[in-house]
Amino acid sequence: MDIKYPILGTVTGEEPSKGDDEVVEVDIDSLRQESSRLAQEIDALKTEGLEEAELQIHMRKMHEYNELKDMGQMLLGKIAFIEGVTTKDLYNKYGLDLED
């Protein structure tokens, strides 16, 4: 049975071959490059005056927004069921944008 790990790839339970070492080296090099790119991106954002604390606040607010949106979707679904219409019909009835 093969197990797929997002970073490590597939694990088969077989002994690694010499070719696997080359693959690992390429993966490590790729991760180092990605880490360097992200560090540069972070430095650029800090230069623009953005701080990590602001990001945490933004993420918390986005999470809160998504929870509220999910609750709204559930309510619309229940109302649609009670009225015997589709949720799309309710979006039109209440002037809501289907893309929201």
Side-chain angles (χ1 to χ4, degrees):
M1 173 187 207
D2 293 349
I3 301 171
K4 182 74 175 169
Y5 292 98
I7 294 176
L8 301 176
T10 302
V11 177
T12 62
E14 299 172 5
E15 291 295 318
S17 67
K18 290 192 182 224
D20 290 339
D21 289 341
E22 293 171 12
V23 171
V24 169
E25 287 297 323
V26 169
D27 287 346
I28 289 171
D29 186 49
S30 175
L31 290 171
R32 284 185 179 140
Q33 289 176 4
E34 179 70 7
S35 177
S36 176
R37 185 189 67 75
L38 291 172
Q40 290 174 352
E41 206 172 304
I42 289 169
D43 289 341
L45 291 171
K46 285 181 178 177
T47 301
E48 293 175 17
L50 300 174
E51 295 184 22
E52 189 174 340
E54 291 177 38
L55 177 62
Q56 295 299 325
I57 292 168
H58 177 72
M59 288 171 53
R60 189 175 60 247
K61 287 183 178 186
M62 285 298 296
H63 179 71
E64 206 173 300
Y65 164 80
N66 286 330
E67 286 181 347
L68 290 170
K69 184 177 175 183
D70 289 346
M71 283 188 272
Q73 291 291 331
M74 287 188 315
L75 288 172
L76 281 172
K78 289 182 181 202
I79 293 169
F81 178 76
I82 291 169
E83 293 184 5
V85 297
T86 66
T87 305
K88 183 178 179 180
D89 292 335
L90 291 180
Y91 269 76
N92 290 331
K93 179 179 178 179
Y94 295 114
L96 302 172
D97 185 4
L98 283 171
E99 299 300 317
D100 277 342

